[in-house]
Amino acid sequence: MQSAFTKEGLLSAPVRHIDIKQLNIVPLIDQMSDTAFQARNLARAASILDLMQQDKECAVILTLAGSLISAGLKQVIIDMIENNMVDAIVSTGANIVDQDFFEALGFRHYKGSPFMDDAILRDLHIDRIYDTYIDEDDLRVCDDTTAIIANSMEPGAYSSREFIVEMAKYIEANNLDKNSIVYKAYEKGVPIFCPAFSDCSAGFGLVHHQWNNPEKHVSIDSVKDFRELTRIKIENDKTGIFMIGGGVPKNFTQDIVVAAEVLGHDDVSMHTYAVQITVADERDGALSGSTLKEASSWGKVDTVHEQMVFAEATIALPLIAGYAWHKRNWEGRQTKNFNALLDRQQVTV
């Protein structure tokens, strides 16, 4: 029996990205600091992110896990990049490639329903992320584009950061949408690392590229990612981490303190500031829910300015980031341009 649903009908209401600049929420968050439970935790987290902005020596590392850009949070992250609130990003590949770069190519995410029959969606070539829809045919174009970028590069091993820079250059060369995390980070010299880079559209594109170029091809060196991010810690000792979700980006970023010690920098500091937004539970032993106090036992995070916020990211991120943006203590922060640093020092550790 033919479905009454059409692809055009289901992909008709695009997700719109939240603009934290439109509404000053500082008074609301300040009131939350005198309440309880996660409201008070969120207010303290916002104040710690603001402390990172006040501390001009601090390098702020933003980590991204979960489906964030598809959920309407792209502009929040772009505003942080453009105003020097973020100096490096560690992310899942999906946020950067399948979602941000995907939109830079001219495609969109659409409002949907978690109760839709997924068999119907599959027949219509629509992929679902909870209550968000993606055109599968558009996503295949994104896959193919990463293969095109790989084909244009000299064969060799690259960090994900280096490949993402090539993605930004592709946006520029083809006059695509520059209101993109990938492109804005490139403009500001903010490195983006995806330690599990193949776990996204880039993986499909790179598999295609390597399959058709078995002798000489581009590959992604995750150890180089680790070394480059560790280099940032060595060169800029004071760091703060703002973690959205958990997973690989969280652990990868916390581990650079230990990596610097392994490289002989015994005087390296733990991350001075740390905030994490998560819905994961620490009791099940999962990385995403492990507390920042636990990370201190590993020598990764100082416990003076740390805060866990047990809340869903689409609610908590705009509030915390919006608070720090409207406090405007990012004014006067200089662009650190860690991309330039890493390009100069690719070999020396």
Side-chain angles (χ1 to χ4, degrees):
M1 186 173 67
Q2 188 173 3
S3 169
F5 295 101
T6 66
K7 190 170 190 176
E8 293 74 18
L10 291 172
L11 303 181
S12 60
V15 169
R16 302 190 185 280
H17 296 284
I18 292 173
D19 186 353
I20 56 175
K21 303 183 297 298
Q22 289 189 7
L23 181 64
N24 186 354
I25 58 168
V26 170
L28 171 65
I29 305 300
D30 283 341
Q31 288 186 61
M32 290 168 70
S33 67
D34 292 322
T35 61
F37 308 119
Q38 295 312 307
R40 189 195 300 168
N41 288 344
L42 188 148
R44 185 168 187 272
S47 70
I48 292 172
L49 181 60
D50 184 46
L51 283 177
M52 297 186 210
Q53 307 308 310
Q54 294 177 45
D55 190 338
K56 302 303 188 279
E57 295 180 2
C58 177
V60 180
I61 305 172
L62 175 68
T63 80
L64 306 172
S67 188
L68 306 176
I69 283 67
S70 66
L73 298 177
K74 179 176 76 173
Q75 192 60 47
V76 176
I77 297 163
I78 287 173
D79 287 337
M80 295 183 75
I81 293 170
E82 288 196 306
N83 292 288
N84 300 328
M85 297 174 70
V86 172
D87 302 299
I89 296 172
V90 182
S91 179
T92 59
N95 276 307
I96 298 304
V97 185
D98 301 47
Q99 298 177 26
D100 178 74
F101 186 65
F102 173 84
E103 291 203 354
L105 293 174
F107 305 128
R108 291 292 174 263
H109 296 88
Y110 298 91
K111 293 189 289 184
S113 168
F115 307 110
M116 184 65 188
D117 185 334
D118 290 288
I120 292 174
L121 294 179
R122 177 60 187 162
D123 288 342
L124 294 173
H125 288 201
I126 296 174
D127 299 328
R128 181 172 68 87
I129 307 174
Y130 184 57
D131 59 356
T132 304
Y133 296 157
I134 308 168
D135 187 329
E136 168 70 21
D137 298 326
D138 291 344
L139 200 53
R140 291 297 176 90
V141 174
C142 187
D143 302 344
D144 294 342
T145 304
T146 60
I148 291 169
I149 293 170
N151 290 337
S152 73
M153 298 167 65
E154 288 294 322
Y158 295 84
S159 65
S160 63
R161 175 193 71 87
E162 292 173 307
F163 192 92
I164 292 165
V165 165
E166 295 302 315
M167 290 164 54
K169 292 178 180 177
Y170 184 89
I171 291 171
E172 186 170 57
N174 292 276
N175 197 29
L176 299 172
D177 186 357
K178 294 180 179 178
N179 192 48
S180 151
I181 294 168
V182 167
Y183 190 78
K184 294 298 183 181
Y186 168 67
E187 279 191 317
K188 283 285 188 177
V190 173
I192 301 176
F193 300 94
C194 296
F197 196 49
S198 294
D199 188 22
C200 66
S201 270
F204 299 120
L206 286 166
V207 164
H208 185 275
H209 162 75
Q210 290 192 1
W211 184 270
N212 290 285
N213 298 275
E215 301 300 325
K216 293 183 178 181
H217 53 248
V218 167
S219 61
I220 302 300
D221 184 348
S222 64
V223 177
K224 190 173 186 181
D225 277 333
F226 199 13
R227 191 182 80 219
E228 288 188 341
L229 189 60
T230 302
R231 164 65 71 181
I232 291 173
K233 179 63 178 173
I234 291 169
E235 296 292 335
N236 197 115
D237 184 56
K238 183 174 278 191
T239 47
I241 44 178
F242 183 27
M243 294 174 284
I244 317 304
V248 172
K250 172 186 178 179
N251 201 56
F252 191 80
T253 304
Q254 289 183 342
D255 276 353
I256 61 175
V257 178
V258 179
E261 293 173 349
V262 169
L263 295 176
H265 295 269
D266 297 329
D267 58 345
V268 71
S269 301
M270 291 188 286
H271 293 297
T272 305
Y273 310 96
V275 168
Q276 184 187 2
I277 300 169
T278 185
V279 292
D281 193 327
E282 66 175 302
R283 294 175 299 176
D284 65 2
L287 161 67
S288 295
S290 64
T291 64
L292 297 170
K293 294 185 187 306
E294 178 182 309
S296 181
S297 75
W298 294 76
K300 301 175 183 179
V301 176
D302 201 337
T303 57
V304 177
H305 300 293
E306 59 83 18
Q307 184 61 58
M308 301 285 294
V309 181
F310 293 97
E312 201 267 306
T314 58
I315 299 169
L317 175 57
L319 294 175
I320 295 172
Y323 180 87
W325 191 91
H326 284 282
K327 291 287 282 188
R328 305 191 73 85
N329 284 308
W330 45 266
E331 293 180 341
R333 287 191 96 238
Q334 299 299 310
T335 302
K336 295 188 183 296
N337 197 355
F338 286 135
N339 267 343
L341 167 75
L342 295 171
D343 288 340
R344 290 194 304 267
Q345 302 177 340
Q346 290 192 61
V347 178
T348 305
V349 175

